[in-house]
Amino acid sequence: RAPSAPCGPKSHTAAELPPGLEQQLAAVPAARLPRPAAGRALRRATPHGRALKSAQDWRFKLELLSRFRFCLVAENSIAPWYVTEKLLHAFAAGCVPLYYGTKDVRAFLPTPSAAVLVLEHRSVESLVGALATIARAAEGSAVLESALGWRRNSSHVSAWWVRLRAMTAAEGMPSRTEQMCALCESVRRTRCDDSQRNGTAAPRRHLRAPRRPVDE
């Protein structure tokens, strides 16, 4: 999220798609939308249904999504400035994101027409119509160029990436290891402070982040 904007409380779960949306999307076969089978394929590709971790996992996901013109990006919650990596995965795969989440996502788009925003349509019929227009557009048409043409402009992509990093304070973001060390140090200090207040000895046990194998 943008560091200067407070993140509001979660309002509702984005998994609750507008009634009738999935049924009407199924009536637009030219859209080549990823069906639930794509999700099952991803789960089968990762042992025990674990989250995608390795470089091979991510390559498989992007290769799978790249077969489709659209990718449904549904955030876990709809809250101000809550935008996750799902959006970038769709862009990396060359899809037009069908985005169901905060309207603040516009600040993160490379161009205003790079994604179809569910909540900007007053009805499911309007949304399906917008998707059908893009889905049935011929390669090289003005409609498709408006949605995907930005990807071929290297200077535009570079400027967009620089803008994203500045918005999210990426340069000053600590690594996962640094975050875990800071968390452990904070817990250690809290335990020592509690021990001093209670007159007991400070715990000697060292706090360590769980060790996990590093993916190749």
Side-chain angles (χ1 to χ4, degrees):
R1 63 182 177 87
S4 59
C7 185
K10 295 180 179 181
S11 54
H12 63 86
T13 303
E16 300 169 1
L17 293 175
L21 175 58
E22 292 185 75
Q23 291 76 10
Q24 294 202 43
L25 289 178
V28 190
R32 298 184 292 133
L33 281 165
R35 297 296 191 257
R40 289 196 293 270
L42 282 172
R43 286 194 292 274
R44 285 198 301 269
T46 53
H48 310 297
R50 65 174 173 79
L52 301 177
K53 293 288 185 181
S54 70
Q56 182 179 359
D57 290 345
W58 292 115
R59 282 194 297 268
F60 179 81
K61 177 180 181 179
L62 295 182
E63 193 280 329
L64 180 64
L65 293 180
S66 68
R67 303 175 190 177
F68 304 97
R69 180 165 291 181
F70 294 98
C71 176
L72 176 60
V73 176
E75 300 289 13
N76 295 330
S77 300
I78 298 178
W81 296 100
Y82 182 77
V83 179
T84 66
E85 75 284 355
K86 300 184 187 76
L87 177 69
L88 299 182
H89 293 171
F91 285 142
C95 302
V96 177
L98 171 57
Y99 187 82
Y100 188 49
T102 176
K103 293 182 179 180
D104 295 324
V105 72
R106 281 216 167 272
F108 296 85
L109 299 180
T111 65
S113 54
V116 178
L117 307 187
V118 173
L119 295 182
E120 290 195 352
H121 290 268
R122 292 175 176 263
S123 66
V124 173
E125 292 76 17
S126 170
L127 174 61
V128 172
L131 290 174
T133 299
I134 299 175
R136 293 167 181 157
E139 293 294 334
S141 65
V143 171
L144 211 55
E145 282 297 302
S146 177
L148 295 171
W150 64 271
R151 297 173 56 84
R152 293 187 292 275
N153 188 329
S154 59
S155 60
H156 185 95
V157 173
S158 297
W160 169 59
W161 190 246
V162 170
R163 177 165 58 86
L164 276 183
R165 292 181 65 84
M167 285 176 59
T168 56
E171 298 298 339
M173 185 69 68
S175 67
R176 182 180 178 85
T177 301
E178 291 170 333
Q179 292 177 30
M180 294 301 296
C181 288
L183 177 62
C184 290
E185 177 60 21
S186 178
V187 173
R188 186 194 68 80
R189 286 198 304 268
T190 300
R191 286 186 174 182
C192 288
D193 292 343
D194 290 344
S195 298
Q196 291 177 0
R197 283 193 296 269
N198 299 330
T200 58
R204 295 182 178 180
R205 182 180 177 184
H206 295 288
L207 297 173
R208 293 187 177 89
R211 292 183 177 271
R212 294 182 179 178
V214 178
D215 295 307
E216 297 295 334

